[in-house]
Amino acid sequence: MTPLEEILHNIQDVKVIADSITLNQYITLDLSVYNTKLAQESLGNATDFEKYIERYLTENNSKVAYGGYNEERNLYKRSTIFKDDATEERNMHIGLDLWIKAGTPILVPLDGKIHSFNYNTGFGDYGPTIILEHQIENQIFYTLYGHLSLESLAGLNIDTVFKKGQCIGTLGDESVNGDYSPHLHFQIIKNIANYHGDYPGVCSKKDLPFYLENCPNPNLLLKIKPF
């Protein structure tokens, strides 16, 4: 592990979803190209996808479906922001998704301050997005929260401090979150370069080695399943 990964791995009692939901109420969700059952589902729009998520959670007696780090997906083929004639298709997901109802409060996992925020509009984009900056020991890194509600951006200011466990916002619905079933895209970023209020959450296979190195597995911090 890198020094940052060691630090993340050693941090305990971290949540981005309400403490009232215990980890035994989480269920893994496979949205990869290798899940042949997905091809049998009608998932072409956010409404159908949300029905699928709700049914999946009910069938598994769970409240949060999670997964997606380093996962190859067909989900992005419906949006032109992930493929144009000049670039390689971006279909490798490099954050962790947590699928739960719109309006769910999102918690800050670690003390940090607002680095930037933005309403990333467009079909398939993040929608309202917040990025926090953290420093632990000599390591500076960032966490990204995508697909939030518009209300989550109200009154925010750069450098405003948030404490671990504080609510940073709520999940948005398909009308603002890029036309997805409600979920949090949570991502850890080592070097954010010149990005503000945005950072790639999906990359091409060619660029995957760089992004996996720059964006450690969020489960190192969240510990939803043994790492």
Side-chain angles (χ1 to χ4, degrees):
M1 290 185 183
T2 65
L4 175 58
E5 289 171 340
E6 289 280 3
I7 288 172
L8 297 174
H9 186 262
N10 290 332
I11 297 172
Q12 301 298 318
D13 301 321
V14 175
K15 284 266 188 99
V16 290
I17 303 291
D19 281 337
S20 59
I21 301 177
T22 59
L23 290 182
N24 62 8
Q25 294 174 296
Y26 285 58
I27 183 73
T28 185
L29 176 64
D30 180 4
L31 295 178
S32 76
V33 296
Y34 305 105
N35 183 354
T36 56
K37 292 182 179 179
L38 282 181
Q40 304 167 22
E41 300 287 343
S42 176
L43 305 178
N45 59 65
T47 299
D48 289 341
F49 205 105
E50 187 167 4
K51 290 178 181 177
Y52 169 75
I53 296 292
E54 290 177 349
R55 186 174 75 247
Y56 182 80
L57 290 172
T58 299
E59 290 172 352
N60 288 280
N61 193 30
S62 299
K63 293 188 176 181
V64 182
Y66 73 94
Y69 180 73
N70 192 18
E71 184 173 78
E72 182 180 356
R73 294 174 168 177
N74 286 326
L75 178 62
Y76 308 111
K77 291 184 182 297
R78 66 193 188 118
S79 173
T80 57
I81 70 170
F82 298 103
K83 178 70 175 74
D84 59 38
D85 293 338
T87 60
E88 183 180 350
E89 179 182 10
R90 294 191 294 131
N91 59 359
M92 300 300 302
H93 190 256
I94 47 176
L96 183 74
D97 284 338
L98 297 109
W99 304 81
I100 191 172
K101 292 182 179 297
T104 297
I106 300 304
L107 309 181
V108 173
L110 303 166
D111 293 356
K113 64 180 181 180
I114 297 289
H115 168 271
S116 53
F117 54 92
N118 192 43
Y119 182 19
N120 296 295
T121 59
F123 183 61
D125 215 324
Y126 280 134
T129 308
I130 299 174
I131 297 175
L132 292 181
E133 179 180 320
H134 310 272
Q135 182 167 0
I136 300 179
E137 299 176 12
N138 63 341
Q139 297 290 319
I140 295 176
F141 61 100
Y142 306 84
T143 52
L144 180 150
Y145 309 80
H147 308 299
L148 301 176
S149 65
L150 276 174
E151 292 77 10
S152 302
L153 303 185
L156 285 185
N157 292 292
I158 303 301
D159 291 335
T160 296
V161 172
F162 280 82
K163 294 295 186 180
K164 178 179 179 178
Q166 188 174 351
C167 178
I168 195 172
T170 57
L171 287 185
D173 62 22
E174 71 276 5
S175 68
V176 298
N177 75 359
D179 195 59
Y180 291 102
S181 176
H183 70 288
L184 174 69
H185 175 97
F186 178 68
Q187 189 166 335
I188 299 170
I189 305 161
K190 292 181 182 178
N191 181 357
I192 203 163
N194 294 320
Y195 284 94
H196 292 273
D198 193 14
Y199 190 84
V202 182
C203 71
S204 67
K205 290 181 180 178
K206 174 176 64 69
D207 293 333
L208 184 60
F210 167 80
Y211 282 105
L212 290 183
E213 194 282 329
N214 198 48
C215 300
N217 189 339
N219 193 57
L220 277 166
L221 178 64
L222 299 184
K223 300 173 180 63
I224 297 172
K225 62 179 181 179
F227 193 88

